[in-house]
Amino acid sequence: MAGWFAGRLPDDWFTGPVELTIDREEITVVGTLAEPSAGDGDAAAARAGRIARFREETRQQRMAIADAAQERYGRAVAWGAACGEEREIFTNLSTPVMTRLRQAERLVLDTLVDAGVARSRSEALAWAVRLVGRHAEDWLAELRRAMESVEEVRGRGPNVG
């Protein structure tokens, strides 16, 4: 996929290769924009403005590329941009996930709702998943690398069928 996007994206959009995040439903494409010169102005506002301008000016081209990618890979495409310290994902899917929880786990979610951290159990579960992701990123990255190795070994195995 990285090669396909590298070939499809205009060379002048980003300062380097895009960051792709891929799951079963969606491909998120985030590119880094050149830093604007803010002069004596607010650098964060200049970066946010650069991202907003990119979003507006490239909308039609991004949609055409997303349509082609969706046809090729069977997944929706979300876009984002980074500029210095600023990072924005423009649109991405919010996919429902079914789960079964025992009472102790439901009580955790209910505590988050009762405390006003979340408006619903669904929002509390999303909050908890983000928290785990943030605090276990090194471990999750190692697990993803291990899964990639397993896929690579499977791909080299005998073709049965």
Side-chain angles (χ1 to χ4, degrees):
M1 262 188 234
W4 186 87
F5 277 99
R8 288 299 301 257
L9 295 174
D11 293 334
D12 62 342
W13 276 11
F14 304 117
T15 60
V18 295
E19 172 192 323
L20 296 176
T21 305
I22 303 160
D23 69 10
R24 292 178 182 102
E25 292 86 23
E26 185 174 36
I27 303 164
T28 303
V29 181
V30 179
T32 301
L33 304 173
E35 287 262 1
S37 174
D40 291 335
D42 181 0
R47 291 183 196 113
R50 173 69 47 94
I51 291 171
R53 187 179 85 193
F54 171 80
R55 182 179 186 182
E56 293 162 8
E57 290 179 354
T58 63
R59 181 172 278 117
Q60 285 194 308
Q61 280 183 286
R62 286 185 295 105
M63 289 172 59
I65 294 168
D67 289 344
Q70 186 163 356
E71 188 172 312
R72 181 178 180 102
Y73 297 110
R75 296 178 175 124
V77 176
W79 294 92
C83 187
E85 309 272 326
E86 305 297 316
R87 180 182 172 95
E88 183 180 344
I89 304 297
F90 305 148
T91 54
N92 64 336
L93 295 176
S94 177
T95 305
V97 178
M98 297 295 293
T99 186
R100 293 182 184 275
L101 300 175
R102 298 200 183 278
Q103 186 179 38
E105 296 153 337
R106 292 191 312 266
L107 286 170
V108 170
L109 300 181
D110 291 342
T111 299
L112 294 171
V113 172
D114 293 344
V117 172
R119 292 185 306 253
S120 65
R121 282 180 171 176
S122 175
E123 191 175 279
L125 184 57
W127 182 89
V129 168
R130 282 191 301 273
L131 184 66
V132 168
R134 206 172 303 138
H135 292 288
E137 189 54 43
D138 291 342
W139 180 81
L140 290 170
E142 183 178 348
L143 184 60
R144 288 183 188 108
R145 284 191 302 276
M147 291 175 2
E148 287 171 4
S149 294
V150 168
E151 286 302 315
E152 188 178 308
V153 170
R154 280 188 189 143
R156 292 192 312 257
N159 188 0
V160 180

